[in-house]
Amino acid sequence: MDKVWTTPTLTGRHVRLAPLQAAQADALRGAAADGELWTLRYTSVPGPQPGDAEAYIDAALAQRDAGMALPFAVFDADGDIVGSTRFYDIDRSVPRVKIGYTWYARRAQRTGLNTEAKLLLIGHAFERWACASVTLETSHENLRSQAAILRLGARRDGVLRAHMRHRDGTLRDTHVFSILRDEWPAIADALRRKLDRKPDTPDHA
């Protein structure tokens, strides 16, 4: 199987994931302003100050250039940028990846957009790169994210205590979840059924 470790463009009915670009700073700034997402200390989003969005993109692209991450801009069905996500901690020897740094404008949260985005991302990891596992991590404070990851069908692996720090310096316990390659077909089928049944209701992951 051809394992090209570059940022793909992934397209569904509700979402399009495309490589993050420097020219998208204004659009990212606007998406983060919908809900003032920078006020949540456990999220990694562009702040409200001039240059914050540019610095956010520069850091993400530096990770990409170092071979550590593949960052995306997230577009809704109308073609508007509503957030960002990325593959990171890429281990080509297993292979395995993590999916994270995910945030959405308030209007896109808990809709079919995120369910389909995860379906596309995790599917790409297993089907294109033949990954053995996909990992998702979140802060102990981000209860909504923990619930959303469980609704995807991931299993909770455990908690890394005092693992890192939030943006404000407070210690973060990291909750770790994963999906294995042989678990993915059943999970993918369940996510597709969810999208077909209730594409826009707020009970999506």
Side-chain angles (χ1 to χ4, degrees):
M1 181 179 293
D2 182 18
K3 299 177 183 177
V4 179
W5 296 87
T6 57
T7 314
T9 296
L10 305 172
T11 304
R13 289 177 293 165
H14 310 287
V15 68
R16 180 168 63 90
L17 304 162
L20 187 66
Q21 300 177 18
Q24 296 164 338
D26 284 342
L28 281 186
R29 194 168 11 248
D34 181 2
E36 297 185 348
L37 303 181
W38 53 79
T39 62
L40 300 173
R41 66 181 182 180
Y42 48 73
T43 60
S44 175
V45 302
Q49 302 303 318
D52 283 352
E54 288 80 1
Y56 177 90
I57 293 174
D58 287 346
L61 297 185
Q63 282 193 351
R64 180 201 65 190
D65 294 344
M68 298 166 56
L70 299 173
F72 296 87
V74 180
F75 296 78
D76 65 14
D78 295 325
D80 296 325
I81 289 179
V82 292
S84 184
T85 190
R86 70 187 73 165
F87 291 115
Y88 70 105
D89 276 7
I90 298 167
D91 186 338
R92 295 162 176 78
S93 67
V94 177
R96 62 170 176 80
V97 296
K98 295 179 182 179
I99 296 173
Y101 293 85
T102 304
W103 61 270
Y104 302 119
R106 176 180 291 170
R107 66 184 181 277
Q109 294 175 10
R110 299 197 67 193
T111 69
L113 179 145
N114 183 50
T115 301
E116 189 169 51
K118 292 300 192 296
L119 180 64
L120 292 168
L121 288 165
I122 301 171
H124 187 87
F126 286 127
E127 296 156 17
R128 177 66 165 169
W129 295 330
C131 284
S133 66
V134 171
T135 298
L136 301 102
E137 298 180 344
T138 192
S139 168
H140 68 281
E141 294 189 9
N142 197 344
L143 301 180
R144 176 177 289 185
S145 178
Q146 292 176 45
I149 293 170
L150 288 170
R151 285 198 301 272
L152 285 172
R155 294 190 183 183
R156 191 189 301 269
D157 294 331
V159 180
L160 302 174
R161 297 182 296 165
H163 176 231
M164 57 191 299
R165 292 189 182 273
H166 295 117
R167 286 184 294 118
D168 66 356
T170 57
L171 281 169
R172 162 179 145 163
D173 294 342
T174 297
H175 287 241
V176 183
F177 305 80
S178 68
I179 297 172
L180 302 183
R181 188 177 182 185
D182 62 359
E183 296 168 345
W184 176 239
I187 292 173
D189 285 345
L191 293 178
R192 292 188 188 100
R193 288 195 298 272
K194 182 181 288 189
L195 282 168
D196 289 341
R197 184 174 65 251
K198 297 179 180 179
D200 299 311
T201 53
D203 61 350
H204 281 290

